[in-house]
Amino acid sequence: MPARDPHRFVNELDEAAIERLIARLEGRAKDVVFTRLFDKYAGHISPGESAHVLEVGCGTGAMTRSLARRGDFSGRAVGVDQSHPFIEAARRFAAEHGVGDRVDFRVGDAHDLDFPDATFDAAFAHTLISHVTDPQAVLREMVRVVRPGGIVAIFDGDYSSMTYAMPDHDLGHRMDVALTTAAFNNPHIMRDLPRLMPQLGLQLQQAWGDAVVEIGTASYFKSFAETYAPYIIKSGMFSAEAVDAWLAAQHQAMAEGSFFAACNYYTYLATRL
Ligand SMILES: C[S@@+](CC[C@H](N)C(=O)[O-])C[C@H]1O[C@@H](n2cnc3c(N)ncnc32)[C@H](O)[C@@H]1O
């Protein structure tokens, strides 16, 4: 079977796989390695008092909740995701975290957003664009639902830069490629955005990169490897034995303090022309 990005085909996964992804998204949202990256741009996506902000591909709503909890946020945030179980979880978690009155979660397709033109002051996509079927169509929809002068923010990994150390460099590189091919429909998309944004009616205002690196110990990359390595086996790119051996080598490196993994992440802040 060819590689099938689990977040792109989330509606085809069984209940156990959905529960694992919910745990991964919620766990990642508590990981300081990762939360600092959202915090770096969150202040830019709630322009003014009572801003109306959309998160496209909100998953379990962790970033929408995080925005709603900020002291400088006085508006309303709406999260849209294609997965019914994710949206049910998002509503439950928002109520549990006491932000249910400031957020609203809806099932919907990022390629065909069910909102009139110019509904929002800002729209953001946090690790969505690498997963979707047609990134340009999604960007076009984000531009459409944001008012002229409003903000479109895209954050994601440049997953073709993701790497885990292995003593056998060639095997390590091939496993990196297999892992990113299995987990992401568009592993190169963040490199394309500076070219695509102007064509889609967006003026880039700011962009920056962050390297996420774990050396010695691992939390973010441990969960990443454990969640997505099984999809390499499903895709047939490596045998179960080879993937298990790779995962065992990563766990051994964590136990010995010799672990190394890294990936570059990018933030693009643009305005709708
Ligand atoms: C890696 S998760 C990110 C979730 C959330 N933004 C976060 O950072 O916690 C990617 C999300 O994109 C959603 N997604 C993928 N394709 C989509 C589409 N066409 N329309 C709506 N959501 C989509 C998946 O269901 C999944 O929840």
Side-chain angles (χ1 to χ4, degrees):
M1 187 201 272
R4 284 170 81 75
D5 173 338
H7 283 287
R8 180 180 174 207
F9 295 104
V10 71
N11 290 328
E12 296 174 18
L13 300 177
D14 62 29
E15 217 174 297
I18 291 279
E19 286 305 318
R20 279 196 295 277
L21 289 184
I22 289 176
R24 156 84 187 153
L25 291 176
E26 287 297 302
R28 185 178 80 162
K30 292 189 189 88
D31 196 326
V32 288
V33 172
F34 205 73
T35 53
R36 71 180 172 91
L37 301 179
F38 179 70
D39 291 343
K40 252 176 109 167
Y41 77 89
H44 295 273
I45 55 173
S46 56
E49 291 266 303
S50 309
H52 199 194
V53 181
L54 173 69
E55 181 182 6
V56 187
C58 63
T60 55
M63 299 304 130
T64 304
R65 286 199 312 269
S66 185
L67 180 69
R69 273 199 306 267
R70 286 176 65 87
D72 58 0
F73 185 75
S74 62
R76 266 196 86 70
V78 179
V80 170
D81 200 278
Q82 64 180 348
S83 158
H84 283 266
F86 283 4
I87 289 297
E88 278 166 24
R91 289 176 181 146
R92 195 172 67 245
F93 293 140
E96 285 170 12
H97 286 80
V99 294
D101 57 335
R102 268 162 283 158
V103 298
D104 179 22
F105 292 107
R106 303 191 195 174
V107 175
D109 183 357
H111 301 85
D112 185 16
L113 293 169
D114 193 13
F115 299 104
D117 295 358
T119 300
F120 296 97
D121 299 300
F124 71 104
H126 193 87
T127 65
L128 165 78
I129 207 79
S130 60
H131 294 291
V132 297
T133 308
D134 184 345
Q136 292 197 51
V138 169
L139 286 167
R140 234 176 258 118
E141 275 297 85
M142 292 178 76
V143 170
R144 181 185 67 74
V145 301
V146 164
R147 65 167 166 77
I151 295 162
V152 171
I154 308 292
F155 169 88
D156 216 326
D158 177 45
Y159 294 106
S160 37
S161 71
M162 177 172 277
T163 185
Y164 285 73
M166 277 292 278
D168 179 338
H169 297 160
D170 177 56
L171 173 64
H173 176 66
R174 286 188 291 118
M175 201 57 88
D176 289 341
V177 172
L179 186 61
T180 52
T181 306
F184 303 102
N185 198 49
N186 315 302
H188 299 94
I189 184 64
M190 296 308 278
R191 298 174 185 202
D192 295 335
L193 288 188
R195 176 174 50 82
L196 294 177
M197 280 184 154
Q199 296 169 14
L200 298 168
L202 285 169
Q203 185 162 27
L204 189 59
Q205 301 294 344
Q206 283 188 65
W208 62 82
D210 292 276
V212 173
V213 179
E214 288 183 321
I215 298 172
T217 57
S219 59
Y220 177 74
F221 286 112
K222 176 177 188 288
S223 157
F224 187 93
E226 291 168 350
T227 304
Y228 297 113
Y231 294 95
I232 302 178
I233 304 168
K234 280 205 182 96
S235 74
M237 285 182 281
F238 275 95
S239 67
E241 292 72 32
V243 172
D244 289 347
W246 177 84
L247 209 44
Q250 300 307 328
H251 284 137
Q252 191 183 339
M254 290 170 212
E256 289 172 350
S258 61
F259 181 81
F260 176 100
C263 183
N264 295 328
Y265 285 79
Y266 295 91
T267 304
Y268 289 87
L269 294 173
T271 43
R272 180 188 162 177
L273 291 170

